[in-house]
Structures are given as structure tokens and as C-alpha cells.
Amino acid sequence: MTERLFLEALDLSAAKLLEDEKTLGVSFPYVTLASGAWDTMPASLSAGYQGANWSHGNWFCGFWIGLLTAAYLRTRDEKYLNLARERMLLVAPRANDGNTHDIGFIFYPSAIALFHVTGEEQYASLAARAADRLRRRLILTPRGSYISAWGPLNDVRGRRSSAIDTMANLPLLYWAAQYEDDASFTLAGEAHAIMTRGSFIRPDHSTYHAVEYDIATGVCARGFTFQGYADSSCWPRGQAWAIYGYTRTAEATGKRCYLDLAEQLSEYFLKRTGSSLVPPWDFDDPLVPNTLLDTSASAIVASAFADMAALHPDRKKGEVWAQRSRDILTILCERHLARDDAHRGLLRHGCYSKPHNQGIDSAVMFGDFFFVEALCSMVMPGELRTAPKRLSSDS
Ligand code: GLY
């Protein structure tokens, strides 16, 4: 029953991708507008400061390629692979963009997926170049090292900033460690994960969205938010990025402690989300439950739960996470799919940034990708990316 639902959602994605490709030109979709149509931007738009304001640029473009690749795997229709290859040409120059940690989000779902599916070295070379850029963002402090999130490293605002989102950019480093046979990529990712564990995670296992470090000492000077309700609130998508990133860190390092942490972060997420399995855009918005949702956070978590299930040394506990992943995906399929033509994208009711009034009650590109990644983990494990190997019970 759930398998049929999941396959239907993948079919819907494949059908909508082809329809949208006819209208996009060389731009890439990122969020839907109030009309239901995609808003788009070119892949070349880099991140940066405009005066005091930070702009994330186009960190979405790789997800579109990931969706095309997944559609190819579902349909085996070469059209999708050809579109993914054409789109990759537009995204490729961003492999030299050292301005943002989001280079992980750009190249993991695109170049690495294309390499995984086609075996063509050109895609691996691109991803390896991007991983090198991400590793270069490592900032050394006396208390450990972290990967700076935002902006050019010659700007102190960039050097001292760290975001919880970076945890989900680490898989690019972990992939490069394997591909290049260079453990320094994993060490860089793990160093970041350790520093994040100490600075972002509160005693109740909620998370800050961002922190600023005092680089001279490595002390966390303040926790704050960019897209959440308040500096002290818990932004569910940030919590989801943390769950996803610690799960992938457990996979890359083989260490159980990161899986344990991912489980604790997940219990917090589930406790606050309740039976709808879709969180509000911020857990601490005083208007909850009469406020916007963020389905993208559920999609990210569903993908992480599928990995936790595969990794867990205790198979019974693994089955609990697998069932939780299926439960979330079922609810997303039954209640939140954009089945009508007017609403582009796959998952409705995502929230990119309420404080910036961007992508509010929308389909958001990352929500669609992680939803599809999770569906692929369920119905075709190992095809979009390598399936995680079970951790040993004495890890
Ligand atoms: N910048 C990543 C996010 O919006 O979740």
C-alpha cells in the first residue's frame, strides 16, 4: 500500500519535471509563488553580502538535477538523464565558488548522483573540486575547527559564522574522502560535527540555527537565527539538517555516538511535531498551531530516518526508524502533495524563510529533493546514492 503511494509520488514528480522543463529556459526553480508558479533564478547567482544584508544566492540548482536523476531511475527514460546532463553544464562553474558552505547542497544531489548513476568521471571530478572548496572553509580555533557558513573568508562576518545547515553539506566531504582516498575530508567534516555538537545543541536537544564564534578563542559568542522566529527558538528545518548531518556523520566515521545524537535530536523533533508529523515553520512561534507549516523539514527527517534504519546496529531499533520514515512519507503523500497542475513542485506547505517573506506556504526545491531522496531510499535503495552500511554493534 505505502509502496504504491510512494511510486505514485515519484511518477508525479517525473511528470511535473518534464512539464516544467518546457518553461524554465536556463533558469532553475527554487520556491513557488502565491500563484503556484515557480519562481526561478540562474544557477550562476552566487552568495554574498549586499551591504549589511546576506543573500544565499542559488543554492537550489543541484536539487533540480537530483530530481531529474531520480526521475530517470524511476522511468528509465533517457530524456531525464539528458536534461540532467544539460543542467549540470549550467551548474558546473559553481564548483569554483568558495563563498558558501552550500556548495555541498549544490553538488551532492547533482554531480555525485550523476556519477553514481552513469559512472562518468567528469561528474566525479566536478564534485571533488567542489569538496575541496568546502574543505577550504575550515576555520581553525584553539577549541576545534568548524566550516564557515556564509560569505567570502576574507570577510570576518563570513569567517566567524556557522550554521546548523552546514551539517547537511558534510556528505560532499564524506563522499570525497572515499573517492579521493583522502581521509582529511572526513576529518574536516567530523571536526565540524564535533564543534557544532558543543555550540549548537542545547541541553534539551533543540538546536540554534546559527552561531558566531570568537575566532581567537573558539568560544561561541552567541547563538542566533536567520530564518527562524527568535534567536532562542528552535527552527524545525535546522533541527532536521542536524538530524540528517549527524546520521551521515555516523555513516562516514562508523561511530555510534553520532547515531545516538541523531536519535536524541530526532526524539526532540518528533515530540514537538506531534501526530501530524509536519512541524510548524518554527516550533516556538507563539501562533502555533495556527501558523505556517514546513513540510520540507519532515522530508529531510524522513530521509535521515531511512538512513538511521539502515545504519542502526540494533535491527529492532532500526525498524522503528524505518517505520517512522514510512509514516512521515505516507502523510506527505496523502496530505501535502501538489497534485493539481496550478501548483508546481511536489510538496506543498514548505517554508523557505518567513522572516524574509520568501517561499511562504510554498513548494521549496530542497523539500522536493529530500522527499524524493527518501522515497528512493524506500523503493529503490542504493540507486540514487550508495545505501548506508549497518554500523557494527561495538562501534
Ligand atoms: N539555508 C538553508 C535552509 O534554508 O534551510
Side-chain angles (χ1 to χ4, degrees):
M1 168 66 183
T2 53
E3 168 132 343
R4 186 178 56 74
L5 262 186
F6 298 167
L7 291 172
E8 271 173 15
L10 289 173
D11 289 340
L12 181 65
S13 175
K16 287 184 122 177
L17 287 168
L18 277 192
E19 289 163 11
D20 287 337
E21 274 291 345
K22 291 184 193 133
T23 68
L24 292 172
V26 293
S27 272
F28 286 73
Y30 67 108
V31 296
T32 55
L33 301 162
S35 65
W38 280 121
D39 202 359
T40 64
M41 59 168 99
S44 56
L45 205 67
S46 183
Y49 288 101
Q50 285 142 3
N53 294 329
W54 169 252
S55 161
H56 282 297
N58 192 341
W59 61 280
F60 310 87
C61 46
F63 295 128
W64 185 255
I65 296 172
L67 290 174
L68 289 167
T69 309
Y72 165 71
L73 292 170
R74 167 68 184 138
T75 61
R76 296 289 161 181
D77 182 338
E78 293 282 332
K79 261 200 300 281
Y80 291 100
L81 205 48
N82 292 336
L83 285 166
R85 288 178 194 282
E86 283 168 23
R87 291 266 164 200
M88 199 67 236
L89 293 174
L90 297 168
V91 171
R94 296 292 303 280
N96 300 319
D97 182 351
N99 270 357
T100 173
H101 66 149
D102 284 333
I103 196 164
F105 281 137
I106 297 173
F107 285 91
Y108 196 92
S110 60
I112 293 176
L114 278 174
F115 175 60
H116 184 66
V117 170
T118 67
E120 289 174 26
E121 284 297 325
Q122 54 168 326
Y123 299 122
S125 303
L126 260 183
R129 184 142 43 97
D132 180 53
R133 290 282 170 183
L134 183 57
R135 185 177 52 179
R136 287 194 220 176
R137 293 187 68 80
L138 201 63
I139 308 288
L140 192 68
T141 84
R143 290 166 68 103
S145 299
Y146 63 94
I147 290 171
S148 153
W150 298 314
L153 291 177
N154 59 9
D155 184 323
V156 71
R157 292 172 297 183
R159 286 186 78 79
R160 69 185 180 203
S161 70
S162 182
I164 197 68
D165 326 17
T166 308
M167 285 304 303
N169 279 294
L170 299 182
L172 178 64
L173 296 178
Y174 298 146
W175 172 87
Q178 296 293 320
Y179 177 73
E180 303 272 33
D181 194 14
D182 179 349
S184 70
F185 285 103
T186 302
L187 287 178
E190 189 179 10
H192 178 84
I194 291 168
M195 193 107 174
T196 298
R197 182 174 60 192
S199 308
F200 282 72
I201 302 178
R202 304 180 183 114
D204 63 356
H205 292 109
S206 67
T207 46
Y208 286 107
H209 178 190
V211 308
E212 257 173 28
Y213 288 108
D214 174 342
I215 299 174
T217 62
V219 169
C220 170
R222 69 177 184 121
F224 68 104
T225 195
F226 189 72
Q227 284 152 275
Y229 173 74
D231 290 346
S232 59
S233 71
C234 181
W235 179 53
R237 193 160 69 254
Q239 190 81 11
W241 292 137
I243 293 166
Y244 189 91
Y246 280 104
T247 304
R248 300 297 299 270
T249 300
E251 177 191 8
T253 60
K255 292 183 189 168
R256 173 74 185 265
C257 61
Y258 299 120
L259 179 62
D260 292 343
L261 182 54
E263 289 189 284
Q264 289 163 325
L265 294 163
S266 302
E267 294 297 354
Y268 180 90
F269 181 93
L270 291 171
K271 183 177 78 190
R272 297 224 49 197
T273 300
S275 57
S276 74
L277 298 179
V278 175
W281 74 280
D282 192 298
F283 286 126
D284 298 303
D285 176 354
L287 295 179
V288 170
N290 301 312
T291 191
L292 296 167
L293 301 175
D294 186 4
T295 50
S296 75
S298 301
I300 296 159
V301 160
S303 187
F305 287 1
D307 286 345
M308 283 160 63
L311 281 171
H312 213 298
D314 177 336
R315 283 173 192 271
K316 274 201 186 133
K317 286 199 180 142
E319 184 40 45
V320 171
W321 291 113
Q323 189 54 46
R324 287 173 168 173
S325 180
R326 283 192 288 272
D327 290 345
I328 293 175
L329 293 174
T330 301
I331 281 192
L332 293 178
C333 288
E334 286 177 344
R335 298 191 195 160
H336 299 282
L337 272 195
R339 291 183 191 278
D340 57 319
D341 285 347
H343 285 94
R344 308 315 298 172
L346 195 55
L347 264 190
R348 297 188 64 184
H349 314 305
C351 180
Y352 178 31
S353 183
K354 179 139 186 315
H356 301 89
N357 201 28
Q358 235 187 336
I360 304 298
D361 199 22
S362 296
V364 293
M365 188 40 59
F366 42 90
D368 282 7
F369 173 76
F370 285 97
F371 179 46
V372 163
E373 183 182 74
L375 293 169
C376 289
S377 293
M378 288 293 158
V379 300
M380 46 171 132
E383 292 201 33
L384 188 58
R385 64 172 159 87
T386 309
K389 287 198 185 67
R390 198 167 296 286
L391 297 183
S392 98
S393 47
D394 51 11
S395 56

